[in-house]
Each structure stands twice: as C-alpha cells, then as structure tokens.
Amino acid sequence: MKAERLRLKRLQRLEKLRAIARQTALAEAGRAEAQLAQLETLGQRTASLISDYAQRDDATLAEDLVRQRAFVAGLSQLAVNTRNDIARARDNADRRAAEAAAAERRRAAVEDRAAATARDIARRQAAASLPLGGRKPR
C-alpha cells in the first residue's frame, strides 16, 4: 500500500510537470499563430500595394515610369519573400499545435494513471476496513 501511495505522489508530481509543459506548448503555439497572422497581413498589404502601383498611369516622364516599374518589381520580390516566410510560419504553427496536442495527451495519460491508482488505493482501503466475514457491521 505504501508503494502505491508513493507511486500516486510521483504520478501527481509528473502530472503537474506535464501541465506546465502543456501550458508552455500552448503559449508557443499561440506565438507561432500570431506570427503567422502578422505575416499573412503583411502579405495582403504588399499585394495591395503592388496592385495599386501597377495600375497607376500618372507617370509624365519615362524616368518616372522606370522608377515606378522598379518599385513594383521590388515590391514583387518582397511579396515572394513574404510568401516564403508565410509558408515557414505556417509549418512552424502547425508543428507547435501538434506539440501542444501531444503535450495534452501526455498530461491526460498521467492524469488517468493517477486517478486509477487513487481508485485502486481507495478500493484496497475499503476492502481492508471490512471485517473478515465480508459483511459490513450493523
């Protein structure tokens, strides 16, 4: 019985550690999702700027038109880089979400084992408190 109580205490400590790990994983997943959202917003704004500048027709000199086209080309390269960053951020967010889910499963498994051990201890204590005849006293 003493060994089971020690096991229960160990499982309860392990459950606390797993809960902390779960909270950390959830926080990291949240940061990854926030970064992804920022990059997606940046990508949308960059695409909007490219569209706006590409449609402009107010260049009066050829030099103005060359500068405008160079600016649009620079924005286009920025958009490509942003799309690549978004893909990496999405992969990171997915990986962090999977880590958070795994951390929750590990925590829940320890919680289940601790609850089963506690039930087993309670059942053994109840069985030990019954008289030898197997009946409850009147």
Side-chain angles (χ1 to χ4, degrees):
M1 190 80 93
K2 184 177 179 182
E4 287 184 2
R5 285 194 187 113
L6 290 174
R7 181 174 189 253
L8 178 60
K9 285 186 179 188
R10 183 186 61 81
L11 286 171
Q12 288 170 337
R13 283 192 307 267
L14 185 58
E15 182 182 357
K16 287 178 186 177
L17 289 173
R18 296 277 168 91
I20 292 168
R22 175 184 166 268
Q23 289 292 356
T24 302
L26 287 173
E28 289 175 4
R31 283 191 291 275
E33 287 291 334
Q35 183 181 21
L36 175 59
Q38 286 178 337
L39 286 169
E40 286 175 338
T41 300
L42 177 63
Q44 292 168 354
R45 291 195 53 185
T46 305
S48 175
L49 283 172
I50 291 169
S51 174
D52 291 346
Y53 276 98
Q55 292 176 7
R56 287 180 67 172
D57 60 356
D58 59 350
T60 55
L61 300 173
E63 182 181 346
D64 294 337
L65 185 60
V66 168
R67 270 192 245 128
Q68 179 184 348
R69 294 294 173 209
F71 183 68
V72 170
L75 283 176
S76 296
Q77 184 57 49
L78 182 63
V80 168
N81 293 342
T82 302
R83 281 193 297 271
N84 293 336
D85 290 344
I86 288 170
R88 281 190 297 275
R90 184 171 288 117
D91 290 343
N92 185 39
D94 291 345
R95 188 175 63 252
R96 298 293 182 174
E99 289 171 2
E104 171 55 23
R105 286 190 302 273
R106 286 189 298 269
R107 187 209 58 79
V110 171
E111 179 184 40
D112 291 345
R113 289 192 335 242
T117 301
R119 284 191 305 271
D120 190 42
I121 290 170
R123 189 179 69 246
R124 287 179 189 226
Q125 284 177 340
S129 66
L130 286 177
L132 290 178
R135 295 186 200 169
K136 293 184 180 179
R138 294 184 189 192

